[in-house]
Amino acid sequence: MAPDALCTPSNHHPADDSDSWQRMIADSITTAEGLAAHLPVDPDRIRTVIQRYPMRITPYYLALIRQQQDPIWRQAVPDPAEIRDTDLAADGLGEEPQSPVPNLTHRYPDRVLFAVSSQCAVYCRHCMRKRKVGRPAGITAATRREGVAYIRHHTAVRDVILSGGDPLMLADDVIAALLAELRAIAHVETIRIHSRIPCTLPQRITPTLVGILRRFHPLFLNTHFNHPAELTPAAAQACAALADGGIPLGCQTVLLKGVNDHPTVMQSLLRGLLKMRVKPYYLHHPDPIRGTAHFRLPVRKGLELMRSLRGAVSGMAIPQYMIDLPGGGGKVPLLPDYVQSADQNRMRVSNYRGEVYEYPG
Ligand SMILES: *Cc1c(COP(=O)(O)O)cnc(C)c1O
Ligand code: SF4
């Protein structure tokens, strides 16, 4: 063997190579031909979808696909149903009208949703922001500067949510500089990072990155896992590294038809997350967003699923079930109706087994 063969990338140990994630992005599948080389798909059909909604699938996430239309496939492989869906609004939640500067939505008085990257490791087919992800022109260093300036001038903003796209697609030095600017603003109390990268590219959670993030506490990270097949040893290792960095981890799961709309799947996901020290935060009902109609299901099904959790999994693992009102009305938690009747003296309440008890008024 020639001595320099030892220097080829495949011989690098990932833990010693904090840039290997960038190679994994470069090696990701973004074209119809590239996808057809790995999966039984018709490249012409894929091409028409990705002209509208881009595709990227990391080699890591691709390897989790076991068969056609399985839950990983449905989340990552473009589906012609996306472009057939023209009834729903592209910006159904009214984010743009509530954005005082580009890419920063200020809906609630005390917090802002600040989109700092248009890129993601995998473009989820169910994305509620699919009108803008993967379009390079939209989010730039200039819009990030404008966003930071807006936050600096609005003293009511206590909580900054970095979103996108995926903030962890930015380079380490860009993330460090952005967090330093936000931390220098006295009225910003908490910073949250919304990132799917622990699920779609866990190799991005390097010791260097954790070292940067931990300098800016209190900093929270909400990730996005939707199926137990995503809870791999690599994902668990990424979450452990973040948790060891003192970063409280939450999960925002999206309820999706054909992915996780079954009690045993959801229970196994929630238990698995808790074992990885990730606290399920929200279970989002799928938003009414153009291009995602094939994932939607009735709210009644979500409520039944929530009812199946109480008693079956630790209360620590139960997320709040949320709908987000169209047109910018904001998020509303929904609960199955446990109260059967109530008057001044007593309530009749059903428990997790469906047994009815009286509770003194
Ligand atoms: C979801 C969301 C938030 C954060 O809501 P929380 O309930 O505090 O997690 C903030 N701003 C916008 C625009 C949102 O959509
Ligand atoms: S990672 Fe988040 S922002 Fe990116 S495509 Fe998926 S859901 Fe959308």
Side-chain angles (χ1 to χ4, degrees):
M1 187 197 287
D4 60 4
L6 291 171
C7 300
T8 58
S10 61
N11 287 327
H12 276 245
H13 189 279
D16 300 329
D17 180 359
S18 59
D19 292 333
S20 71
W21 69 273
Q22 274 144 335
R23 267 201 310 281
M24 292 178 192
I25 289 293
D27 291 344
S28 293
I29 291 174
T30 57
T31 65
E33 298 69 32
L35 188 64
H38 289 91
L39 297 178
V41 292
D42 171 358
D44 292 331
R45 281 159 60 96
I46 297 290
R47 204 173 293 111
T48 57
V49 181
I50 66 180
Q51 277 164 1
R52 177 92 60 87
Y53 302 118
M55 166 178 68
R56 182 186 279 138
I57 311 176
T58 55
Y60 165 82
Y61 201 70
L62 182 76
L64 301 182
I65 294 177
R66 289 279 165 271
Q67 59 188 30
Q68 213 155 341
Q69 294 298 332
D70 75 11
I72 308 296
W73 174 302
R74 285 178 61 80
Q75 292 182 75
V77 175
D79 188 317
E82 294 173 43
I83 48 175
R84 285 198 301 267
D85 170 22
T86 51
D87 292 345
L88 296 172
D91 180 20
L93 301 186
E95 292 188 324
E96 300 302 339
Q98 293 182 341
S99 296
V101 295
N103 306 315
L104 182 144
T105 305
H106 196 173
R107 175 171 298 155
Y108 303 102
D110 66 332
R111 59 214 115 128
V112 293
L113 187 112
F114 185 14
V116 296
S117 163
S118 59
Q119 302 290 303
C120 303
V122 170
Y123 292 117
C124 311
R125 307 326 297 174
H126 57 272
C127 181
M128 53 80 70
R129 218 162 278 139
K130 66 193 290 169
R131 70 184 188 278
K132 60 197 278 184
V133 296
R135 298 178 213 294
I139 298 173
T140 61
T143 67
R144 284 194 293 272
R145 261 196 308 280
E146 238 185 302
V148 171
Y150 178 88
I151 294 165
R152 195 178 288 125
H153 292 126
H154 289 79
T155 53
V157 178
R158 274 194 285 260
D159 186 15
V160 174
I161 300 167
L162 299 180
S163 181
D166 199 311
L168 298 185
M169 287 294 282
L170 298 171
D172 287 348
D173 57 337
V174 177
I175 294 173
L178 181 63
L179 290 173
E181 284 192 84
L182 291 171
R183 257 292 151 252
I185 302 172
H187 56 267
V188 172
E189 295 174 3
T190 49
I191 298 173
R192 297 192 238 176
I193 294 179
H194 279 188
S195 172
R196 204 177 185 200
I197 270 186
C199 173
T200 52
L201 185 63
Q203 297 80 4
R204 168 58 183 121
I205 309 300
T206 61
T208 311
L209 177 67
V210 176
I212 291 169
L213 299 181
R214 66 180 306 159
R215 294 186 353 234
F216 300 100
H217 283 313
L219 180 138
F220 297 73
L221 191 144
N222 280 332
T223 184
H224 174 178
F225 287 88
N226 292 332
H227 191 273
E230 296 168 341
L231 307 179
T232 65
Q237 201 185 325
C239 291
L242 290 162
D244 288 347
I247 300 162
L249 300 175
C251 185
Q252 310 209 86
T253 295
V254 188
L255 177 59
L256 298 168
K257 187 158 90 181
V259 174
N260 56 17
D261 56 338
H262 193 278
T264 54
V265 174
M266 187 59 72
Q267 291 167 10
S268 144
L269 171 69
L270 298 173
R271 285 193 200 103
L273 285 167
L274 203 58
K275 275 168 67 181
M276 290 178 12
R277 288 188 273 170
V278 179
K279 166 81 184 82
Y281 174 50
Y282 282 162
L283 174 63
H284 293 282
H285 192 77
D287 292 317
I289 298 290
R290 185 179 303 161
T292 66
H294 57 300
F295 288 109
R296 291 180 55 76
L297 68 184
V299 167
R300 176 182 45 77
K301 278 213 72 170
L303 288 169
E304 283 167 11
L305 195 62
M306 287 302 292
R307 197 182 266 281
S308 82
L309 301 179
R310 184 64 52 190
V313 300
S314 162
M316 280 289 294
I318 300 184
Q320 280 186 281
Y321 177 46
M322 307 299 283
I323 56 171
D324 214 328
L325 298 175
K331 293 186 180 70
V332 177
L334 299 182
L335 261 184
D337 204 355
Y338 291 105
V339 179
Q340 299 206 328
S341 64
D343 61 33
Q344 279 178 334
N345 300 319
R346 69 184 67 84
M347 281 196 299
R348 288 168 62 79
V349 181
S350 62
N351 73 357
Y352 67 95
R353 286 207 197 88
E355 302 158 345
V356 180
Y357 284 71
E358 287 205 350
Y359 192 84

